[in-house]
Amino acid sequence: MQKPNYAFEKRQRELAKKKKQDEKDARKRDVREASESSPTPPENVLPPAPAAEPAPAPAGPRVHRRTPAG
């Protein structure tokens, strides 16, 4: 019975990982180049909604009291 060649298996995993990373970088590069070539924003985007008003403050001050232990 032959013993497993762990170095070969590791190298294959490393090559697969590198190939996947290269494909990911290529996709990012394509997206970046596409966005640089068309700097105009799309016209069908809605303007941002106005910010909501903050909730009113409570009527009196908040007081925290300790309760006796026991």
Side-chain angles (χ1 to χ4, degrees), residues 8-67:
F8 176 78
E9 293 173 5
K10 181 177 180 182
R11 180 68 178 147
Q12 293 302 310
R13 284 193 308 269
E14 289 172 351
L15 289 172
K17 188 175 181 180
K18 183 173 177 18
K19 181 180 177 185
K20 185 175 179 181
Q21 186 64 39
D22 289 343
E23 290 172 353
K24 185 177 179 182
D25 291 342
R27 284 195 308 268
K28 285 184 177 181
R29 186 173 46 249
D30 291 343
V31 169
R32 192 177 326 120
E33 289 172 357
S35 67
E36 288 176 358
S37 65
S38 62
T40 58
E43 295 182 18
N44 59 354
V45 175
L46 297 175
E53 294 183 19
R62 295 182 65 175
V63 179
H64 297 278
R65 299 176 195 229
R66 292 188 180 181
T67 58

